[in-house]
Amino acid sequence: MQDARASDPEAPPQRAVMTATASPSDTKGAAAPRISFVSLGCPKALVDSERILTHLRAEGYELSRRHDGADVVIVNTCGFLDSAKAESLQAIGEAMAENGRVIVTGCMGAQPDEIREKYPNLLAVTGPQAYESVVAAVHEAVPPAHDPFLDLIPPQGVKLTPRHYAYLKISEGCNNRCTFCIIPSLRGDLVSRPAGDVLREAEKLVKAGVKELLVVSQDTSAYGIDTRYATSPWRDREVRARFYDLASELGELGAWVRLHYVYPYPHVDEVIPLMAEGKILPYLDMPLQHASPSVLKRMRRPGNQEKQLERIRRWREICPELAIRSTFIVGFPGETEAEFEELLEWMREAKLERVGCFEYEPVKGAPANDLGLLVPPEVKAERKRRFMEAQSHVSLRLQRAKVGKRLQVIIDEAGPSGARGRSKADAPEIDGSVHVASRRPVRPGDIVTVKIERADAYDLHGIAV
């Protein structure tokens, strides 16, 4: 399994098309209007999709398994890279061909002219986070037929993930101005949710059976900066909208808590003891992007990677089980062989547990386009190959060190011949798996203890004990 699945340098995306389907309990009112839904992009976009679907289900809309069986199709697009735009346009085209009544939303919707040029007969095009506009467009296309006597949605809302894990979005937008990124122009500046609202949503999810909360945003460690860490009521107390405070409170809910998209700001140090104490998972997803100071400067990213190496050493002293995931860009405009070698050397020194790599791809409207000095495609491909080869040696050594240990594993899939799950060091979709042999039945969502018997560069194999 390759550990380089990122196409968004800030957020490894869910590349698969996700179409909401109706369960038998969803089909009570035959006359209810039906919605087919496609969600593209990163987990943050997936949360947007869940919110739209939850609103529509509350109004009596049902979910169709097929585009051609629906009254309207909604496509939540990704617009970060040209390849993501192409995938979004393809999904829109398929929906138009199979149904013809299509509403487009999401990041690519912030640039409607490009979509309308190819598909002028769309019902509506809205930008990201435009929940009200999407719902209004659905109302215009097919009015709701709400039955107030039916309980149409569960307390936790409609989810597009398996029942045992869920993404928990804590903020929208981003205050950073990285030269390769157009997210602020698509989603705006940082807007943090009140801590009480986040915690109430998390509590509902856990009560509904969610065993793992994946905390996401564009910049998780900046949470609350825009509100000056304002307090909000939670249970019998006031809680600050602050990275540490939120992590600590989430750690009391009884679920695994996994932190994604954490920039290495100094106050991140504060959450490492929470990991050592077992309150939250010993896992940090930090999009570092590069290690050469000159490349980081052109990217407008923090550039003191020597200091970052020392911090990582301190974190591991406090929490030896800590697993760090990061993504890196090779072939950024002007990247020299010497700068790339700086990245390789830093990677060998840092020994990160989980790493994704992708080749730089120009993004329309990004300042990096004006830097010039584009790296030839064949050089980018060769550097990616060398990068992943170097990382595979690091990964294999770290994985083999786990052989003989007993790890907690959350089961994602189970069958008669075995099960597949993830350790605390593995996030869904982007990291490795643990393949589990078991003498007793296990189900998705079970957390079992597994003795590791063998390892490869990304996956582990063991037996439930």
Side-chain angles (χ1 to χ4, degrees):
M1 186 193 77
Q2 191 181 38
D3 194 31
R5 308 181 207 177
S7 68
D8 171 348
E10 300 301 338
Q14 310 298 101
R15 295 292 296 174
V17 174
M18 304 192 71
T19 303
T21 58
S23 66
S25 63
D26 291 333
T27 58
K28 293 180 180 178
R34 299 175 67 81
I35 305 295
S36 181
F37 203 108
V38 178
S39 184
L40 299 170
C42 64
K44 296 179 286 295
L46 189 72
V47 174
D48 294 342
S49 298
E50 292 171 342
R51 288 178 180 173
I52 294 167
L53 285 173
T54 296
H55 192 126
L56 293 173
R57 283 294 286 129
E59 294 183 335
Y61 291 89
E62 291 185 358
L63 306 180
S64 172
R65 295 180 184 275
R66 299 165 54 93
H67 290 342
D68 59 9
D71 293 289
V72 68
V73 180
I74 302 172
V75 180
N76 190 1
T77 59
C78 179
F80 185 76
L81 298 174
D82 289 345
S83 55
K85 289 180 180 180
E87 182 181 23
S88 294
L89 289 172
Q90 179 181 349
I92 295 168
E94 291 170 357
M96 288 294 289
E98 295 176 31
N99 185 286
R101 294 169 56 80
V102 180
I103 295 168
V104 174
T105 188
C107 285
M108 195 174 177
Q111 301 166 333
D113 292 345
E114 187 173 352
I115 300 172
R116 289 282 191 188
E117 182 179 350
K118 191 170 181 65
Y119 301 108
N121 297 322
L122 292 167
L123 295 179
V125 179
T126 73
Q129 301 152 226
Y131 312 121
E132 296 84 359
S133 298
V134 175
V135 172
V138 173
H139 288 172
E140 185 173 346
V142 51
H146 182 56
D147 183 349
F149 297 102
L150 292 178
D151 180 14
L152 295 173
I153 59 171
Q156 75 275 14
V158 175
K159 294 296 169 187
L160 297 174
T161 51
R163 184 173 181 268
H164 60 281
Y165 69 81
Y167 294 102
L168 183 68
K169 189 194 285 189
I170 64 173
S171 66
E172 301 283 2
C174 183
N175 288 342
N176 298 307
R177 294 297 184 266
C178 304
T179 58
F180 54 77
C181 183
I182 59 170
I183 291 298
S185 66
L186 296 176
R187 291 183 170 263
D189 289 337
L190 177 71
V191 179
S192 300
R193 297 177 62 194
D197 290 357
V198 175
L199 291 166
R200 277 185 285 276
E201 180 182 345
E203 184 178 48
K204 287 180 181 179
L205 290 168
V206 174
K207 286 181 177 178
V210 168
K211 302 289 186 66
E212 180 180 10
L213 298 167
L214 299 110
V215 178
V216 296
S217 67
Q218 205 61 44
D219 182 357
T220 297
S221 41
Y223 174 67
I225 289 175
D226 57 309
T227 66
R228 298 185 180 180
Y229 311 115
T231 62
S232 56
W234 162 241
R235 293 180 175 172
D236 59 348
R237 58 192 178 276
E238 295 284 321
V239 178
R240 290 186 298 174
R242 187 170 174 269
F243 179 60
Y244 172 84
D245 300 67
L246 184 65
S248 180
E249 294 288 350
L250 289 171
E252 299 294 334
L253 296 179
W256 284 13
V257 177
R258 191 181 299 277
L259 301 178
H260 285 275
Y261 320 130
V262 178
Y263 283 66
Y265 304 145
H267 65 263
V268 172
D269 297 357
E270 299 173 6
V271 305
I272 306 301
L274 295 178
M275 298 177 180
E277 295 164 14
K279 285 191 173 184
I280 63 176
L281 292 185
Y283 181 98
L284 275 180
D285 181 351
M286 293 193 308
L288 296 172
Q289 309 309 353
H290 214 278
S292 167
S294 51
V295 174
L296 290 166
K297 184 177 181 180
R298 295 198 296 276
M299 290 179 169
R300 292 186 193 158
R301 304 281 291 187
N304 194 335
Q305 296 297 61
E306 283 299 318
K307 184 179 291 186
Q308 189 57 47
L309 280 175
E310 181 54 37
R311 290 180 72 203
I312 290 173
R313 293 188 191 101
R314 290 201 311 270
W315 292 347
R316 286 172 172 159
E317 288 173 1
I318 297 169
C319 182
E321 293 184 351
L322 175 64
I324 299 175
R325 148 164 279 280
S326 192
T327 52
F328 294 86
I329 300 171
V330 295
F332 190 76
E335 182 189 60
T336 64
E337 179 64 21
E339 290 170 333
F340 175 68
E341 286 291 346
E342 284 183 277
L343 171 59
L344 288 184
E345 184 57 34
W346 190 91
M347 289 296 302
R348 295 186 185 104
E349 182 72 17
K351 298 180 176 64
L352 302 185
E353 285 76 8
R354 303 285 184 259
V355 171
C357 173
F358 62 95
E359 301 167 30
Y360 172 77
E361 182 179 323
V363 179
K364 185 178 180 181
N369 297 339
D370 300 327
L371 294 175
L373 302 173
L374 293 180
V375 178
E378 62 275 13
V379 176
K380 290 192 290 187
E382 174 65 10
R383 287 178 182 172
K384 179 179 178 179
R385 184 196 65 76
R386 290 163 58 195
F387 180 99
M388 291 310 301
E389 182 178 304
Q391 175 58 27
S392 69
H393 293 305
V394 173
S395 296
L396 185 58
R397 288 196 298 271
L398 294 173
Q399 291 284 89
R400 285 177 173 171
K402 298 175 183 178
V403 173
K405 294 185 176 181
R406 299 187 177 207
L407 304 179
Q408 281 192 300
V409 172
I410 188 167
I411 301 299
D412 287 331
E413 297 177 2
S417 60
R420 183 181 63 82
R422 293 174 289 107
S423 73
K424 293 180 179 180
D426 302 303
E429 303 293 337
I430 57 174
D431 292 329
S433 298
V434 182
H435 300 273
V436 182
S438 179
R439 297 185 181 92
R440 63 183 186 276
V442 294
R443 299 172 300 177
D446 287 350
I447 297 177
V448 299
T449 300
V450 176
K451 183 179 179 182
I452 304 303
E453 297 185 326
R454 63 185 180 89
D456 58 36
Y458 302 112
D459 291 355
L460 299 172
H461 302 261
I463 185 167
V465 295

